[in-house]
């Protein structure tokens, strides 16, 4: 009973592999050369035939019927009655799929419906019925069929007992192919009986043409090819000589590694079953020649060997993976034992000559471990291979023509890693096809060729890296940003701070991808958090890079194996722990002078390190071991070390008391009593026999409740603040895109509102364009065009119109897209981009952004509307007190336009010394100009008789209105008209001599 | 005929017994390593010839002693699934992990006939009752036959989720 069960399981296993091979062959069908095609067809046929035969043996009706039908169709392909075409291949694939499904549940397989597949296959047989008969009649004798005797189990009359006996006697089993009568004439004999008699002394003929010898009538007339099963003590190199036959006619069948077949008398069915013309209904297919399950050789390798080259392939033995795992584990134990021994010897210096032995032991153990580890390795191609099907099917479904290319198929990866990769890679490929690659028409329009997905594996830094890249549309960082903002994953104030890479990494955040409508974020991110989780579970990392319009690449980095992990051994709280080196970026030691680099933000100690803030976690605190930082003492003592750990895209510093050593550790699972503790991923035995828990950086980060987003934000804010302090102040601007690739910025204060409008709503009157806005016609201006940056009748979809504030005549500035509002540090190049209507240029996120100031721009673009009056003076002097800012430049431009000579200083102190040294007609000041601020400056001037009469004008902060008693006048920043009115009233109307008197 | 061999040992004030078939070996003074954050009944881990064994503080577990610190003197290492062979198939197979019970002192191995086994007397606290298969009245002592599966099942007991020991410590 249990034997049957075992047999059945073997059958399932074997059939599964056979059918997997079938799928691969079918998928490759279009690509293979004609001369190889025959071989492939034969291989397909044999595989399906094996499955059919075994199914019959086990009485599996559905599997038998379907494989029979499939075999029949394949038979017709083999006989060139059918030419393989895509639709046929599809049908075959479907049938093969169904077979594989049935195999997943052999016991219930007869309850599944297979009608669809049967019907789909039927036409490929039915239409040719008549034809088939004719063909069969016309071609006589029938073309030589490939012989299918490949395994001892297929030899009729070869019982298990017998086989064992043969093995016991050191016999070999041969398949001898005779051409009758030719071969026998050549040997001078004549008929089969003579031959049989002649070889009787050399061995024993077991079967002729698949019929057990007992049932063969040797005297029956024969012609053509004839196949004999021949058992003999003769070695393979001698057999052909003794039989007086060419070497290729004598083929050995391996007797060993053969499972019992319980198969005695099915011989007669075998040749028939091989016959593709066979029209018997499936239920008659009867007991099969052999359950393919019995064979333990690699099925495909065996097939090739037998049929084509005759060259001996590497002998392979199938071993249960559990055996490998045990071996692996034992090798691990041995490494541990060796380490302990080495340590002891190091301590005791050992007896005479022991060192040499130890070194040998060391070398052998290492080699052994490596060898065993390599047994668990499999080429990643076995995994990549599966995806051809996925891509093909998905491509069909989505109506996209996609080529999957793979590179580095022969890169070996541990089995466990391979398993862990299946789901993530499937996911990534799906994403690439579904969202990454554009629809065919879009691609065509963009001048792109066929969609391509590349799977590439290579070794890098002792790890395996797998890249999944496509040549699709890429990821729109702005869209990600918007989506993350909408979903509340990032705060609005984060927006300006995140780099493109950081923004891209958002797609790995849980919750980012829950949106069913993924197109909104140009598609990526469906389940990306799952991908990340799975990869991190096996100690890997994920990164994504993308170029808009060119494609996306997701890189997975994985350890080669999970079993042995290079680790750092550390000590804290009197206990030793192992920390896998995978996530470890560096070990930092703080000098006494560097303690100031540890600060406190959000109740968390952070280390300023390499330009970023690293949250610190004290291991002893996280594990509640006691021994925290001394009160009042430094957060990180000099003897301690900070381990910089990477968790996803975040980093933190783990403070440990001591770093002891590095060691290759063997990971052992934690018992269930302690498994739920997230701080540890396992346990190991150290070289000295001690036990060390393996730290899990992710778990510790959770335990310490690190909220990286806060830290990151704080870090960025800090960073930004430092930059601001260092140079000048930040300015709020609205970034927008114009034309094909121009980016412009306008001070946020100058923007009254942003309107969105359909292009269809633009009215043209001659050269002018208008938009109906609040019941009036709003003249439209295209900034890029007006600035001579090229015309931008770009794109489709709605336009976004900026309506500047403070303009006497409302005007709309047409942008192709409003990007974002953000604070930028004005590091303005005023010279290079000096152009009418522009203030200057600056860099934002690596892009050149042109700074536009509405009034100047409008005056330039629409001179008739906005010509400032020329006041025609030239001798008046103004002192402008303010740090560099856009408003400042605008004011300077305005003052100069009004005919004043302007001198600028940045602080109140400087202003004061300038005022006491020279004569000015006007002081224009910011409120916040250092310790001596605008108000204080004005007060001092009032208190100084010589300066009391000089009018002081202050810039109001955005939003505030009304008078400020300390100043003569206040004006809003950017308020040109207001400034001019002030100057007209306060400066120009004062008679010149009075001014001089004042001065 | 129906007599079975029991390993007996003392934990706090109680004399306890475990079927010999459940016991792999007894070790003394092993080097043990605590696991930060583990339930308090888990004393730590030991390296037993390359195998990691989790130590359970039996006294704490069955409410017999409140020893949370101090050294580990004696450990009764129990068999794992792998060890439990055909001869002891009657035993429940719940142990994939190697486990050792920390006890105070070993006593002898006794043969106990089924007829000697009585149900736990009524004055045994309910919380402790579930750890017992029965009791045997000896001349001077009450021998507690431990229900190992219950002892090892740290996670399904009321109040165990937070890793604390059972509250009751009433004497038997």
């Amino acid at each position: 009973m249990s034997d049957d069960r075992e047999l059945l399981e073997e059958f399932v296993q074997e059939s599964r592999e056979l059918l997997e091979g079938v799928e691969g062959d079918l998928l490759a069908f279009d690509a293979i050369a004609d001369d190889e095609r025959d071989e492939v067809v034969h291989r397909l046929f044999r595989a399906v035939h094996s499955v059919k035969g075994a199914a019959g043996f086990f009485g599996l009706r559905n599997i038998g019927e379907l494989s029979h039908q499939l075999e029949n169709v394949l038979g017709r392909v083999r006989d060139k009655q059918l030419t393989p075409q895509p639709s046929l291949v599809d049908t075959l694939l479907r049938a093969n799929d169904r077979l594989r499904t049935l195999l997943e549940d052999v016991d219930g397989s007869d309850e599944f419906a297979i009608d669809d597949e049967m019907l789909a296959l039927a036409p490929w047989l039915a239409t040719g019925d008549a034809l088939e008969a004719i063909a069969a009649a016309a071609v006589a004798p029938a073309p030589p069929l490939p012989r299918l005797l490949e395994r001892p189990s297929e030899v009729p009359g070869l019982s298990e007992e017998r086989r064992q006996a043969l093995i016991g006697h050191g016999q070999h089993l041969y398949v001898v192919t005779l051409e009758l009568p030719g071969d026998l004439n050549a040997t001078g004999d004549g008929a089969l009986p003579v031959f049989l008699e002649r070889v009787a002394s050399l061995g024993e003929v077991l079967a002729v043409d698949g019929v057990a010898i007992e049932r063969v009538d040797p005297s029956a007339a024969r012609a053509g090819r004839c196949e004999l099963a021949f058992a003999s003590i003769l070695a393979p190199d001698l057999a052909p000589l003794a039989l007086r036959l060419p070497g290729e006619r004598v083929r050995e069948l391996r007797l060993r590694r053969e499972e019992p077949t319980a198969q005695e008398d099915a011989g007669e069915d075998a040749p028939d079953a091989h016959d593709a013309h066979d029209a018997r209904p499936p239920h008659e297919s009867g007991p099969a020649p052999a359950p393919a399950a019995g064979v333990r050789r690699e099925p495909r390798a065996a097939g090739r060997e037998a049929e084509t080259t005759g060259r001996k392939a590497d002998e392979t033995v199938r071993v249960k993976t559990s055996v490998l795992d045990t071996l692996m584990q034992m090798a691990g134990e041995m490494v541990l034992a060796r380490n302990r021994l080495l340590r002891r010897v190091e301590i005791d210096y050992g007896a005479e000559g022991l060192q040499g032995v130890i070194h040998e032991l060391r070398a052998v153990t290492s080699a052994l471990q490596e060898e065993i580890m390599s047994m668990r390795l499999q080429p990643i191609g076995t995994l990549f291979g599966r995806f051809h099907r996925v891509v093909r099917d998905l491509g069909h479904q989505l109506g996209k023509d996609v080529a999957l290319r793979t590179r580095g198929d022969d890169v070996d990866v541990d089995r466990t890693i391979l398993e862990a990769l299946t789901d993530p890679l499937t996911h990534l490929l799906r994403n690439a096809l579904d969202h990454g690659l554009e629809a065919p028409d879009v691609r065509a329009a963009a001048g792109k060729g066929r969609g391509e997905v590349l799977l590439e594996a290579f070794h890098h830094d002792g790890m395996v890296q797998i890249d999944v890249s496509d040549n699709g549309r890429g990821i729109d960082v702005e869209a990600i940003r918007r989506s993350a903002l909408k979903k509340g994953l990032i705060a609005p104030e984060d927006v300006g701070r995140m780099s493109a890479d950081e923004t891209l990494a958002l797609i790995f955040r849980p919750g980012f991808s829950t949106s069913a409508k993924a197109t909104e974020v140009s598609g990526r991110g469906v389940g990306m958090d799952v991908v990340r989780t799975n990869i991190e579970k096996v100690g890997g990392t994920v990164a994504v890079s993308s170029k808009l319009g060119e494609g996306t690449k997701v890189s997975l980095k994985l350890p080669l194996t999970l079993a042995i992990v290079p680790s750092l051994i550390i000590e804290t709280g009197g206990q030793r722990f192992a920390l896998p080196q995978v996530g470890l970026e560096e070990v930092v030691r703080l000098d006494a002078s560097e303690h100031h680099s540890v600060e406190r933000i959000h109740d968390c100690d952070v280390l300023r390190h390499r330009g970023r803030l690293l949250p610190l976690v004290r291991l002893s605190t996280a594990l509640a071991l006691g021994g925290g930082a001394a009160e009042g003492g430094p957060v990180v003592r000099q003897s301690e070390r900070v381990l910089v750990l990477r968790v996803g895209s975040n980093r933190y510093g783990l403070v440990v008391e001591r770093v002891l050593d590095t060691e290759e550790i063997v990971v052992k699972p934690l018992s269930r009593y302690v498994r739920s503790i997230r701080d540890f991923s396992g346990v190991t035995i150290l070289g000295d026999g001690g036990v060390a828990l393996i730290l899990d950086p992710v778990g510790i980060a959770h335990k310490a409740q690190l909220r990286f987003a806060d830290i990151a934000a704080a870090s960025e804010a800090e960073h930004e603040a430092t930059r601001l302090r260092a140079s000048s102040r930040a300015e709020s601007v609205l970034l927008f895109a114009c034309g094909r690739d121009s980016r412009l910025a306008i001070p946020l204060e100058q923007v009254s509102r942003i309107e969105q409008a359909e292009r269809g709503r633009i009215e043209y009157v001659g050269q002018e364009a208008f938009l109906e806005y609040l019941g009036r016609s709003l003249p439209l201006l295209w900034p890029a065009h007006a600035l001579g940056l090229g015309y931008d009748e770009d794109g489709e979809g709605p336009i976004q119109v900026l309506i500047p504030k403070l303009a006497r005549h409302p005007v709309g500035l047409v942008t192709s897209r409003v990007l974002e509002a953000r604070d930028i540090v004005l590091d303005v190049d005023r010279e290079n981009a000096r152009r009418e209507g522009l203030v200057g240029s600056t860099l934002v996120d690596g892009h050149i952004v042109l700074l536009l100031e509405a009034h100047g721009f409008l005056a330039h673009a629409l001179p008739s509307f906005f010509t400032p009056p020329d006041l025609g003076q030239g001798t008046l002097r103004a002192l402008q007190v303010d740090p560099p800012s856009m408003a400042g430049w605008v004011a300077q431009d305005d003052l100069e336009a009004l005919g004043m000579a302007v001198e600028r200083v940045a602080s109140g102190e400087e202003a004061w010394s300038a005022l006491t040294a020279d004569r000015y007609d006007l002081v224009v000041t910011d409120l916040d100009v250092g310790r001596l601020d605008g108000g204080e400056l004005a007060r001092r001037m009032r208190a100084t008789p010589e300066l009391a009469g000089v009018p002081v004008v202050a810039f109001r902060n955005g939003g505030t209105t009304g008078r400020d008693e300390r100043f003569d006048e206040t004006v809003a920043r950017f308020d040109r008209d207001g400034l001019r009115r002030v100057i007209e009233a306060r400066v120009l109307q004062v008679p010149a001599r009075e001014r001089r008197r004042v001065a | 005929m129906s007599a079975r061999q029991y390993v007996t040992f003392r934990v706090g004030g109680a004399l306890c017994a475990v079927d010999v078939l459940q016991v792999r070996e007894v070790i003394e003074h092993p080097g043990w390593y605590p696991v930060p954050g583990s339930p308090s009944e888990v004393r730590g881990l030991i390296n037993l010839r390359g195998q990691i064994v989790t130590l359970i503080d039996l006294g704490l577990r069955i409410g017999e002693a409140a020893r949370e610190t101090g050294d580990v003197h004696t450990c009764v290492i129990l068999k794992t699934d792998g060890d439990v062979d055909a001869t002891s198939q009657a035993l429940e197979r719940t142990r994939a992990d190697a486990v050792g019970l920390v006890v105070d002192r070993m006593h002898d191995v006794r043969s106990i006939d089924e007829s000697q086994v009585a149900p736990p007397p009524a004055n045994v606290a309910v919380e402790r009752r579930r750890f017992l298969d029965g009791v045997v009245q000896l001349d001077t002592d009450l021998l507690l036959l431990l229900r190992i599966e219950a002892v090892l099942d740290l996670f399904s007991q009321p109040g165990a989720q937070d890793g604390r020991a059972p509250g009751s410590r009433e004497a038997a």
Side-chain angles (χ1 to χ4, degrees), chain A residues 333 340 575-577 623 625 668 671-675 677 680 683-685 689-691 693, chain B residues 33-39 42 45-47 50-52 54 56 94 97 99 152 154-155:
Chain A
E333 302 292 349
R340 291 175 63 180
Q575 246 181 295
R576 283 179 297 173
F577 299 93
L623 300 181
L625 289 172
K668 290 166 174 288
S671 75
R672 66 195 164 110
Y673 304 106
V674 287
R675 201 171 293 148
I677 306 172
F680 311 116
V683 59
T684 190
I685 295 174
V691 173
L693 291 155
Chain B
Y33 301 83
V35 182
S38 62
V42 175
L45 307 173
I46 60 169
N47 166 19
Q51 189 179 21
I52 301 283
T54 308
I56 307 271
T94 56
D97 303 313
V99 176
L152 297 187
L154 290 194
F155 297 110

Side-chain angles (χ1 to χ4, degrees), chain B residues 10-30:
Chain B
R10 202 163 277 283
V11 179
L15 189 62
C16 300
V18 174
D19 191 325
V20 282
L21 294 178
Q22 300 241 29
V23 176
R24 194 212 286 178
E25 63 188 294
V26 175
I27 56 168
E28 308 241 309
H29 296 288

Side-chain angles (χ1 to χ4, degrees), chain B residues 70-157:
Chain B
D71 201 13
V72 173
H73 292 281
T74 307
C75 291
V76 179
I77 310 292
L78 300 175
K79 284 182 180 170
T80 60
D81 276 355
D83 302 325
V84 177
D85 51 14
T87 60
S88 54
Q89 264 188 352
L91 300 174
E92 280 181 65
R93 300 187 150 210
T94 56
R95 268 167 278 152
D97 303 313
V99 176
L101 300 177
V102 179
V103 304
D104 289 343
R105 199 153 26 93
M106 291 309 295
H107 279 232
D108 48 358
V109 175
R110 275 173 184 269
S111 183
I112 289 166
D113 193 86
E114 253 176 51
S115 61
Q116 294 173 266
V117 180
N123 62 345
V124 172
V126 179
E127 289 83 358
R128 258 170 88 179
R129 223 169 244 277
R130 59 197 187 89
F131 297 127
L132 302 182
D133 267 340
V135 297
V136 177
Q137 185 61 59
L138 303 179
D139 300 340
T140 53
D141 260 318
L142 191 66
L143 182 66
L144 310 178
L145 304 189
L146 293 180
R147 182 179 292 165
I148 287 299
E149 315 318 330
V151 170
L152 297 187
D153 190 9
L154 290 194
F155 297 110
S156 65
Q157 104 203 48

Side-chain angles (χ1 to χ4, degrees), chain A residues 479-494:
Chain A
I480 300 264
R481 194 169 280 162
R482 278 198 298 276
S483 173
L485 206 55
K486 207 161 78 193
K487 297 198 173 85
L489 290 175
I490 51 172
E493 59 266 27
D494 291 340

